[in-house]
Amino acid sequence: MQNRDSLYIYYISGTGNSRLCSHWIADEAVKNGLRTVVQQIDRLENINMPTADEKPLIGFVFPTHGFNAAPIMLKFIAGFPAHLCREIFLLNTRGCLKLYKIFVPGLSGLALLLPAFMLWLKGYKCTGYRSIDMPSNWVPLHPGLRKKVIESIIAKADPNIRVYATKILSGKNVWRGLYSLPADLLISPVAVAYYIGGRFFLAKTFIANNKCNNCGICISECPTSSIRLVNNRPYWKLTCESCMRCLNHCPQRAIEAAHGMAAAFMIIMSAVNTWLIVFLINNLSIQPEAWWWKIVSQFISIAVMVAVAAFLYLIMHYAMGFKPLNYLVRFTSFTTLPFWRR
């Protein structure tokens, strides 16, 4: 504490979990008399950095996306200047559920490991390495949590974050994030698959239904500038990180996670991928059991998935102007159903 005069927290948040955690930590820093800067890194614009005469502690707070750190945070860390201070800390939020009275924690995968390694290469020492379970908000995957469940998860996380903050601010090392390391390493292949392919497919599952009035809030709120108007309708680019900020901020509740459309995409992608793999094997005399082909075929499958999803999404985007199709997509999306609690 005596060698620090400021705290800088850089965070990215889609639905508020990381923002809330950042401010909990900042509260503890203010109590200790530190000048505190809490900086959202949306679009990587207007970022405040410590000055040369400061002695800061720097923290990075971010959600877990597909068992990875949010891609925009990885991009931010990749471009982060070296040697602004000696010590940094990391905190990732994970999706927590609650079954009756049992809290079901999330998993981090590579969400902490990769940022810690990247910052170590820049000369930083990670003194805080922590995951915190916050309400799971991935409504494309499961119904939204009930208010009481959300409140109970937040109530459990609040004191844990403040204890973490107190320890790192006092100069102690906190490595609690390593407790789940075996499980995190076990699911790391899933994290890699998500990062190189899965996230691009998910980016093409969001649509704006006929309730959309082109207010532009989703475009202005998107932290990665991944939404633009095409044919007078919001269009999600491949850079979308599925943070759900647009879905949660839309005043018309017009943004849907199009489950029916995604299922149709998957069927078509599977058919195209199967045809292409068989075509290549038959025409290039490839041995299907060859080790190199097993690796190459996986990358081909990922490329097919991304390309087909992007192509079909573009077609669907223009076709959504046809009202019957618009209604079909809307009513095959779980997020339009009352019990889904979007």
Side-chain angles (χ1 to χ4, degrees):
M1 282 292 296
Q2 295 178 353
N3 295 325
R4 299 168 182 157
D5 56 16
S6 58
L7 171 68
Y8 281 75
I9 300 175
Y10 299 101
Y11 77 92
I12 183 67
S13 183
T15 56
N17 285 341
S18 296
R19 180 177 65 249
L20 185 57
C21 291
S22 297
H23 285 284
W24 283 338
I25 296 173
D27 288 346
E28 299 305 308
V30 170
K31 292 177 184 177
N32 285 279
L34 291 181
R35 175 178 176 270
T36 303
V37 176
V38 181
Q39 173 82 66
Q40 188 162 250
I41 63 168
D42 283 11
R43 294 174 287 278
L44 303 182
E45 297 174 349
N46 304 316
I47 306 296
N48 295 315
M49 292 290 178
T51 59
D53 59 344
E54 287 185 280
K55 297 178 181 178
L57 173 65
I58 298 176
F60 303 86
V61 182
F62 46 87
T64 303
H65 289 173
F67 307 121
N68 289 278
I72 189 174
M73 179 57 76
L74 292 178
K75 185 176 180 180
F76 176 68
I77 291 174
F80 196 74
H83 308 298
L84 288 179
C85 66
R86 173 57 179 154
E87 298 177 344
I88 57 95
F89 68 88
L90 300 173
L91 177 73
N92 73 303
T93 60
R94 309 183 302 190
C96 179
L97 300 172
K98 189 177 182 182
L99 301 178
Y100 188 50
K101 294 184 178 181
I102 301 174
F103 291 95
V104 181
L107 289 172
S108 295
L110 300 177
L112 285 174
L113 288 169
L114 187 53
F117 178 69
M118 293 170 67
L119 288 162
W120 175 76
L121 291 177
K122 291 176 177 286
Y124 291 103
K125 177 185 177 183
C126 184
T127 60
Y129 187 92
R130 178 76 156 92
S131 300
I132 191 70
D133 292 306
M134 294 290 282
S136 179
N137 51 33
W138 207 359
V139 291
L141 184 63
H142 61 74
L145 304 182
R146 297 182 184 277
K147 184 178 180 180
K148 288 186 177 180
V149 172
I150 293 173
E151 291 173 346
S152 65
I153 295 174
I154 290 176
K156 185 173 184 289
D158 185 348
N160 290 333
I161 288 293
R162 295 184 186 278
V163 169
Y164 174 61
T166 300
K167 289 182 178 180
I168 58 176
L169 290 171
S170 65
K172 295 180 180 179
N173 294 328
V174 180
W175 299 94
R176 190 179 177 88
L178 291 174
Y179 289 3
S180 61
L181 183 60
D184 291 335
L185 292 176
L186 188 64
I187 61 173
S188 60
V190 179
V192 172
Y194 173 85
Y195 196 81
I196 64 177
R199 63 191 176 109
F200 301 117
F201 172 73
L202 288 175
K204 295 302 182 181
T205 60
F206 293 97
I207 56 100
N209 62 37
N210 54 5
K211 291 182 179 180
C212 176
N213 62 0
N214 290 330
C215 67
I217 290 177
C218 59
I219 296 173
S220 62
E221 286 289 331
C222 180
T224 57
S225 299
S226 296
I227 307 174
R228 59 190 176 98
L229 279 182
V230 174
N231 195 33
N232 208 34
R233 184 184 297 275
Y235 178 92
W236 279 258
K237 299 188 291 184
L238 285 172
T239 52
C240 167
E241 298 186 7
S242 303
C243 72
M244 261 73 74
R245 188 187 294 183
C246 57
L247 190 147
N248 282 275
H249 284 210
C250 178
Q252 302 299 319
R253 300 175 69 84
I255 297 174
E256 307 282 2
H259 296 88
M261 185 179 75
F265 282 8
M266 291 179 69
I267 293 171
I268 296 172
M269 287 187 301
S270 178
V272 172
N273 182 65
T274 300
W275 174 84
L276 181 59
I277 294 296
V278 171
F279 176 84
L280 292 174
I281 290 174
N282 291 337
N283 287 272
L284 299 179
S285 300
I286 296 172
Q287 295 296 325
E289 298 303 319
W291 66 268
W292 63 269
W293 173 248
K294 292 181 179 180
I295 297 174
V296 170
S297 63
Q298 293 301 314
F299 282 98
I300 291 175
S301 297
I302 291 171
V304 168
M305 176 184 69
V306 175
V308 172
F311 177 70
L312 293 176
Y313 184 81
L314 181 62
I315 294 175
M316 284 295 296
H317 182 80
Y318 283 95
M320 286 287 287
F322 182 54
K323 285 188 176 181
L325 181 61
N326 192 300
Y327 282 114
L328 177 63
V329 172
R330 178 183 173 189
F331 289 107
T332 55
S333 302
F334 295 152
T335 47
T336 198
L337 302 174
F339 78 88
W340 205 256
R341 296 186 297 275
R342 52 173 294 169

